[in-house]
Amino acid sequence: MKVPETSRVLAPDEALGMPDLTRPLDQFELELGDPDYAANSAMQSLGSLSVTDRRNFYFLTLLYYAQGIPVGLTFGSIPFLLKERLSYSEIGIFTFASFPYSLKILWSPVVDAFYIPKFGRRQSWIVPIQIFSFILLLVLSKHVAYYIENAETKLVALTIMFGTLVFACATQDIAVDGWALTLLSKPALPYASTAQTIGINGGYFTSFTVFLALSSPEFANKYFRKTPIPDVGLVTLSGYLQWCAFVYFIATAAVIFLKHRDPVPSRLDQGQSVIGIYKSMISVLKLKNMRSLTMVHLLGKLAFQAAEAVTNLKLLEKGLSKEDLALVVLIDFPFEVIFGYYAARWSSGPQTLRPWLIAYVLRLIFASVSMSQVYFFPESGVSNWFLTYVIFVHTLGSFLATVQFVSITAFHTKIADPEIGGTYMTILNTLCNLGGQWPRVIVLAGVDWFTKAYCDVNGERCVTMEEKAACSALNGTCIVVRDGYYFMNFVCLGLGVFLFTTFIQKTMRRLQSLPTSAWRY
């Protein structure tokens, strides 16, 4: 469908009614609590939804939770486990395992077009994919310990195994995102982003935060055991993967036995083929407004890459114990669920992207603050005051990231065409994910490239894990002359400030003012 040019005429920025983003956050919160603002919001409280909508909300949360499990492992826990054995550049190779999440746009039309009518349009994909994930998790549980212990020689195989798991997760995500647009009634539709936030964050933090905490022998001995047991945590990676497989089994049973068939949209009733959906996808990508949103997605997360991809690894390198880091992220976990709910409420009005814009500015500030944790790391050891500071920075940074995630997801839900819901949501989410993935390999490699260090025994370069091991074998110490972490942080922040002031802010203000018809082809 071609939208008439007159329906896409844009009002100038001063006519959009956009408030000044330089106002304090508490003033923003007061505005959100204003009765007139609330009256304009279409989002009801969860308790006021119908029984069916509430049941579907919890069901979607379960599916998104299952999806978050491999995401947390691949994006979080496995890189931390590999840090003891690999350099930053080598860890960057493993990040390719997360790329299927950013490339799912390539096969999303297939998921939208092919299905078994008697089984259900979305169930036809979710059930077999989750069964495959269940089997793969069981297989991984038998072999993952060996591959982690031999990461230097098994890195490619480890990347392929977890990349396959993420591929299955990404395919499930296409179907679930499309289903969410029709599973909830229109008044309850804003809760699709809430279910996604709570579910994916819950799965992510279970696989990252909770797993790292419970698998840490130091954490278990310090907080749970009266008699310490060396080198043994409360759970192992193999045991955790078996538990993850059980979660997939429960989620699959719920899809099979609890849900009715997903209705097929009218266009597909008329025989739209997979080729037709690919053409629709291309038409969507050609939209002028979609091109603008694409550029924001691809460039918008560049500012935070060094702070988010490297800071925790640097804290560990500086001497923060794993049990203290586990405590930090464990404290953060319940706040993520609470933040997700309220961020959805803030993003439900006519200015859906306002929280995203405010959080962007604050994340720029806290990316600088997070760098201070590394710079001022106490040489005498971690005190309670410094640990409290790390907890504060980590929690507030997670809050701002959650606000941005929920706000942009709510915007995606608002503009997506439910007729090709799986493909449309995948286009939007893929662009968003890709913006956080493509810079990460460069940033991780850049930390090594711009780090200047030498071994005090022989004066040789001492940056990679092999070089550090060679220096240690000579009873030497690596002397860091220049840490590439700070250089990459300043580069990312500088680019972020430039892009926000010259392009991102005015573009997002304009896009949120457009009618839904401006996002149809």
Side-chain angles (χ1 to χ4, degrees):
M1 181 191 314
K2 173 69 174 177
V3 180
E5 194 63 31
T6 54
S7 69
R8 293 189 277 121
V9 173
L10 306 176
D13 285 348
E14 59 269 21
L16 300 183
M18 290 297 299
D20 184 4
L21 285 175
T22 60
R23 290 182 302 170
L25 182 60
D26 57 350
Q27 186 173 348
F28 165 56
E29 292 171 338
L30 288 173
E31 178 180 326
L32 289 177
D34 183 82
D36 292 333
Y37 183 90
N40 291 328
S41 174
M43 189 172 187
Q44 306 173 7
S45 66
L46 184 60
S48 66
L49 298 180
S50 67
V51 174
T52 300
D53 277 329
R54 285 201 303 272
R55 186 184 300 117
N56 288 337
F57 168 79
Y58 295 130
F59 174 72
L60 284 172
T61 302
L62 172 63
L63 294 182
Y64 280 123
Y65 177 81
Q67 184 185 131
I69 286 174
V71 173
L73 287 169
T74 307
F75 287 62
S77 292
I78 302 301
F80 266 89
L81 297 176
L82 294 176
K83 181 62 187 76
E84 298 178 355
R85 297 173 172 84
L86 303 176
S87 68
Y88 288 109
S89 298
E90 289 171 322
I91 294 174
I93 294 174
F94 180 78
T95 63
F96 282 104
S98 63
F99 269 55
Y101 223 88
S102 301
L103 299 174
K104 58 188 177 180
I105 189 174
L106 299 178
W107 63 91
S108 61
V110 177
V111 177
D112 259 342
F114 291 107
Y115 57 92
I116 302 173
K118 292 184 178 180
F119 195 36
R121 185 185 182 198
R122 304 306 179 185
Q123 294 93 322
S124 296
W125 286 94
I126 294 174
V127 171
I129 284 294
Q130 291 189 164
I131 291 175
F132 173 78
S133 299
F134 165 77
I135 296 172
L136 183 57
L137 284 165
L138 288 179
V139 173
L140 277 171
S141 70
K142 302 297 182 183
H143 303 285
V144 70
Y146 169 77
Y147 282 96
I148 293 290
E149 291 171 3
N150 298 276
E152 296 87 350
T153 57
K154 299 295 182 181
L155 179 59
V156 173
L158 192 68
T159 302
I160 291 173
M161 287 191 296
F162 277 92
T164 303
L165 184 62
V166 173
F167 173 81
C169 171
T171 305
Q172 186 245 29
D173 179 57
I174 297 169
V176 174
D177 282 348
W179 203 1
L181 297 178
T182 57
L183 200 58
L184 296 172
S185 66
K186 188 173 182 179
L189 193 57
Y191 275 102
S193 63
T194 309
Q196 185 178 26
T197 302
I198 294 175
I200 291 181
N201 278 352
Y204 181 93
F205 278 93
T206 303
S207 289
F208 184 23
T209 306
V210 178
F211 168 72
L212 284 182
L214 298 183
S215 65
S216 167
E218 296 85 359
F219 184 83
N221 293 334
K222 186 174 182 178
Y223 295 106
F224 288 95
R225 293 172 178 153
K226 293 182 179 180
T227 304
I229 303 176
D231 302 324
V232 178
L234 296 177
V235 299
T236 64
L237 180 56
S238 295
Y240 178 73
L241 289 174
Q242 292 175 10
W243 181 84
C244 295
F246 174 74
V247 172
Y248 268 86
F249 177 82
I250 295 298
T252 304
V255 176
I256 294 174
F257 296 111
L258 299 182
K259 299 312 303 176
H260 298 293
R261 288 193 303 112
D262 184 38
V264 179
S266 58
R267 292 185 202 172
L268 295 185
D269 279 337
Q270 297 169 6
Q272 183 173 359
S273 65
V274 64
I275 300 299
I277 297 181
Y278 271 111
K279 290 181 179 179
S280 298
M281 181 180 73
I282 294 172
S283 298
V284 169
L285 289 171
K286 286 182 177 179
L287 292 174
K288 177 182 178 182
N289 302 314
M290 184 62 72
R291 294 199 299 267
S292 297
L293 184 59
T294 297
M295 292 304 298
V296 173
H297 277 326
L298 293 180
L299 299 175
K301 295 181 181 179
L302 180 61
F304 321 118
Q305 288 303 304
E308 295 181 357
V310 188
T311 297
N312 283 347
L313 296 175
K314 276 291 179 182
L315 289 175
L316 288 174
E317 186 179 292
K318 286 280 189 175
L320 184 69
S321 65
K322 287 184 179 180
E323 65 268 25
D324 284 339
L325 181 61
L327 179 64
V328 170
V329 290
L330 196 59
I331 290 174
D332 183 49
F333 177 57
F335 288 102
E336 286 298 312
V337 177
I338 299 171
F339 294 159
Y341 175 78
Y342 283 102
R345 297 298 299 266
W346 298 341
S347 304
S348 62
Q351 298 181 17
T352 311
L353 293 175
R354 177 171 164 77
W356 188 94
L357 289 166
I358 293 175
Y360 190 101
V361 175
L362 295 178
R363 284 183 79 185
L364 286 173
I365 297 172
F366 272 87
S368 303
V369 173
S370 68
M371 186 166 47
S372 70
Q373 300 170 91
V374 179
Y375 187 81
F376 293 109
F377 195 92
E379 295 182 3
S380 58
V382 178
S383 64
N384 289 335
W385 283 107
F386 185 79
L387 184 60
T388 301
Y389 174 65
V390 172
I391 292 172
F392 171 76
V393 172
H394 194 282
T395 303
L396 195 51
S398 295
F399 164 68
L400 296 173
T402 299
V403 169
Q404 278 207 297
F405 176 82
V406 175
S407 179
I408 199 65
T409 303
F411 181 69
H412 290 170
T413 305
K414 179 179 178 181
I415 66 175
D417 183 356
E419 294 283 312
I420 53 169
T423 298
Y424 209 124
M425 288 295 291
T426 298
I427 291 171
L428 297 168
N429 293 335
T430 296
L431 295 171
C432 187
N433 294 333
L434 190 59
Q437 290 304 306
W438 74 263
R440 186 154 298 191
V441 176
I442 298 173
V443 168
L444 285 167
V447 172
D448 281 346
W449 291 339
F450 293 104
T451 294
K452 183 178 180 180
Y454 65 92
C455 182
D456 62 354
V457 174
N458 56 12
E460 295 293 329
R461 186 175 183 266
C462 189
V463 174
T464 67
M465 296 302 292
E466 293 83 359
E467 293 166 349
K468 291 177 180 178
C471 183
S472 297
L474 298 173
N475 295 320
T477 301
C478 286
I479 306 298
V480 178
V481 178
R482 181 183 65 223
D483 194 335
Y485 164 73
Y486 300 112
F487 179 84
M488 293 306 298
N489 246 312
F490 285 123
V491 169
C492 290
L493 287 172
L495 289 173
V497 171
F498 173 77
L499 289 169
F500 184 81
T501 55
T502 60
F503 170 68
I504 292 176
Q505 181 179 202
K506 64 180 181 181
T507 299
M508 295 302 260
R509 284 182 172 186
R510 175 177 64 82
L511 294 180
Q512 75 170 352
S513 69
L514 299 174
T516 304
S517 59
W519 300 95
R520 300 293 182 263
Y521 56 94

